[in-house]
Amino acid sequence: MTNSDPVVAVHSNFRGQAVTLFGTIDPPPGEAENYGVVVVVQGPSTDWVVREKQRQFGFVLNAASARYDRVPGYYGVFSSRPLAQLGLEALPQFDLEALAARQRIESGDQTFDSKFVQLMRAADRFSMAERGVVMLTPSAFSVRVPIASNATNGLYLARAFVVADGEIVGEGTTRYTVRTQGFERYVADLARSNPALYGFATILVALLTGWVGGVLFRR
């Protein structure tokens, strides 16, 4: 499997785009119609906490919560046909709620799993498209993977599974990188490598901006 953009550059005006992945399969003659393709794209891992808000004594306070460790910052499942038709609906690697359940720490409430998936899908961090893989020919396919404006920097792994009669009979992989470029990358690197200096610079910029604003308004 190959891709159209090995490196996706993110700038301040980045509003999202898509990476197109291409692949080929080699089914036996006369049996191409029995094959399907599922592509799973996984981004860098991050930790998340989901909190339930409740109104108590007139105030909105945090109530129950669940923590999810090392969840892919992006997880997309794309298939050439609905998973039920391919006989794969029970496999955990193609189930977003099963992914959430695996990454939830033991003390977390399992009732949060579905809500966590909803929130991640709303933020364009989880996606599922049951006809997202386009069969260009009986042995060639493509899939467009969206990259949201809030995409996590890092390496993304795409795995293509060839399916026949409800079983995975082949697999291929490719990778691409999402990387902040320009001044935005310098700021992000500074925040990670030297948080004290980054904090000092942020305070200095805020003070300077306030002083300039005060001078302008006095005039």
Side-chain angles (χ1 to χ4, degrees):
M1 194 163 62
T2 60
N3 58 75
S4 59
D5 297 291
V7 178
V8 178
V10 177
H11 298 277
S12 59
N13 60 348
F14 183 75
R15 295 295 179 268
Q17 64 178 70
V19 169
T20 303
L21 310 179
F22 301 94
T24 59
I25 56 178
D26 187 20
E31 297 184 11
E33 65 276 6
N34 296 326
Y35 280 75
V37 177
V38 182
V39 176
V40 177
V41 181
Q42 180 173 335
S45 298
T46 53
D47 298 337
W48 303 88
V49 177
V50 180
R51 294 185 175 88
E52 180 184 11
K53 301 287 187 179
Q54 290 185 354
R55 184 174 293 276
Q56 300 178 11
F57 307 107
F59 298 96
V60 178
L61 303 175
N62 290 331
S65 65
R67 178 178 171 181
Y68 298 84
D69 287 350
R70 299 191 59 78
V71 178
Y74 177 79
Y75 200 86
V77 180
F78 310 86
S79 56
S80 57
R81 283 181 283 160
L83 296 177
Q85 294 183 15
L86 296 173
L88 301 176
E89 68 275 15
L91 294 184
Q93 63 262 48
F94 306 136
D95 188 328
L96 297 179
E97 286 199 26
L99 168 67
R102 289 198 305 273
Q103 306 308 124
R104 173 174 38 82
I105 63 174
E106 295 181 357
S107 59
D109 189 339
Q110 65 179 4
T111 59
F112 281 85
D113 293 349
S114 60
K115 187 61 178 177
F116 177 65
V117 171
Q118 291 177 19
L119 292 172
M120 294 292 276
R121 295 189 72 164
D124 296 323
R125 292 186 175 276
F126 283 1
S127 61
M128 178 170 287
E130 292 199 316
R131 295 193 183 275
V133 176
V134 178
M135 301 302 299
L136 304 174
T137 69
S139 59
F141 64 89
S142 70
V143 55
R144 286 178 60 83
V145 181
I147 301 175
S149 58
N150 61 352
T152 304
N153 279 357
L155 184 66
Y156 287 65
L157 173 66
R159 293 180 295 169
F161 301 92
V162 181
V163 181
D165 300 322
E167 296 184 0
I168 297 174
V169 297
E171 180 178 344
T173 62
T174 189
R175 295 170 175 81
Y176 61 89
T177 301
V178 175
R179 180 184 302 162
T180 302
Q181 300 284 21
F183 178 73
E184 294 82 5
R185 183 179 182 184
Y186 170 75
V187 172
D189 289 343
L190 179 63
R192 287 192 297 268
S193 62
N194 197 331
L197 180 59
Y198 172 78
F200 176 76
T202 302
I203 294 172
L204 185 62
V205 170
L207 291 174
L208 181 61
T209 303
W211 177 78
V212 172
V215 171
L216 294 176
F217 279 109
R218 279 201 301 270
R219 293 183 179 179

